[in-house]
């Protein structure tokens, strides 16, 4: 019998880095350029089978619009979160530099360090790229995390980002048990 897991995860990162596009691509397997700006917070559910792990995971993926005005929205967003995709846009340096702010916000709201995967999104825009691979890799390593390059537009590595996070969450919950 495969092991069954159920996790809530949150999408973190600056506005327009592709959090909603990645969530949509992952949960509905398509890229919707007209997907409405996230209002408040919202979640989608996806069930996945982890390759080589004999594990089934039901993921509740929470997506938030920027910095919500209401503290209550932020509290319910982070409540019970077990992991996060820390997303930046490889064509905008500031979104990379702000990753630590998002980690701090997650820490302040969950009271602990949750497992994260660093996601360098929009790698299809190679000609506009300003954050090189090595920089992202180095950052991920410095926070003891995993680095993935993705494109919500082409679908490249979208599923993998979520799968890597699931693997880390499973391992850390085993470690805690
Ligand atoms: P957010 O949820 O983090 O705020 P969105 O970001 O998912 O709303 O994406 C912001 C914009 O970037 C959207 O464009 C979206 O289509 C685009 N985008 C997201 N991911 C990718 C990607 O991997 N490659 C490219 N080329 N574009 C991407 P619009 O024009 O609708 O604002
Ligand atoms: Mg969004």
């Amino acid at each position: 019998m495969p092991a069954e897991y159920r996790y809530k995860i949150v999408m973190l990162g600056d506005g327009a880095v592709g959090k909603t596009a990645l969530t949509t691509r992952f949960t509905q397997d398509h890229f919707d350029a007209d997907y409405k700006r996230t209002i408040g917070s919202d979640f989608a559910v996806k069930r996945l089978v982890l390759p080589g792990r004999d594990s089934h995971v039901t993921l509740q993926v929470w997506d938030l619009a920027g910095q919500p005005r209401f503290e209550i929205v932020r509290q319910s967003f982070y409540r019970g979160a077990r992991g996060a995709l820390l997303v930046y846009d490889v064509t905008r340096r500031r979104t990379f530099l702000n990753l630590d702010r998002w980690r701090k916000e997650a820490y302040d709201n969950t009271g602990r360090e949750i497992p994260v995967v660093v996601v360098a999104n929009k790698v299809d825009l190679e000609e506009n790229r300003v954050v090189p691979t090595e920089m992202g890799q180095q950052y991920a390593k410095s926070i003891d995390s995993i680095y993935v390059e993705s494109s919500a537009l082409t679908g490249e590595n979208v599923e993998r980002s979520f799968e890597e996070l699931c693997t880390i969450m499973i391992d850390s919950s085993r470690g805690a048990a």
Side-chain angles (χ1 to χ4, degrees):
M1 282 271 281
E4 290 282 344
Y5 297 94
R6 182 178 293 269
Y7 295 121
K8 168 179 173 175
I9 65 168
V10 290
M11 303 297 289
L12 300 182
D14 284 2
V17 296
K19 301 180 297 295
T20 300
L22 289 165
T23 305
T24 310
R25 169 66 88 168
F26 175 62
T27 56
Q28 300 167 24
D29 197 31
H30 74 96
F31 181 87
D32 185 354
D34 296 326
Y35 193 92
K36 288 203 175 61
R37 283 274 136 68
T38 329
I39 300 162
S41 76
D42 213 348
F43 68 84
V45 175
K46 168 107 170 178
R47 201 171 139 76
L48 64 161
V49 177
L50 282 190
R53 279 264 173 168
D54 198 28
S55 298
H56 291 177
V57 185
T58 304
L59 268 192
Q60 211 182 63
V61 184
W62 287 62
D63 184 23
L64 186 70
Q67 296 286 88
R69 270 191 303 144
F70 303 107
E71 190 60 26
I72 194 81
V73 174
R74 200 194 305 264
Q75 281 171 6
S76 68
F77 178 71
Y78 282 107
R79 186 174 301 122
R82 300 288 298 276
L85 288 193
L86 205 50
V87 187
Y88 68 97
D89 172 350
V90 297
T91 71
R92 288 183 294 143
R93 189 177 306 278
R94 171 144 301 281
T95 66
F96 174 68
L97 297 175
N98 279 340
L99 291 183
D100 266 338
R101 290 192 185 187
W102 286 103
R103 285 182 63 228
K104 180 175 178 344
E105 166 155 318
Y107 182 83
D108 289 346
N109 284 277
T110 61
R112 61 203 182 89
E113 288 214 11
I114 55 174
V116 302
V117 165
V118 176
V119 181
N121 190 42
K122 306 197 188 181
V123 291
D124 57 286
L125 299 174
E126 188 53 46
E127 67 279 10
N128 298 323
R129 183 172 185 144
V130 295
V131 186
T133 299
E134 304 72 51
M135 218 177 254
Q137 280 174 334
Q138 217 164 58
Y139 176 74
K141 196 173 167 193
S142 76
I143 61 168
D144 206 16
S145 165
I146 284 182
Y147 173 78
V148 177
E149 299 198 330
S150 72
S151 166
L153 180 63
T154 68
E156 178 186 346
N157 280 341
V158 173
E159 195 144 351
R160 217 193 109 211
S161 306
F162 289 91
E163 285 173 1
E164 294 280 8
L165 181 58
C166 286
T167 305
I168 306 175
M169 290 189 297
I170 289 171
D171 288 347
S172 76
S173 64
R174 278 196 186 131

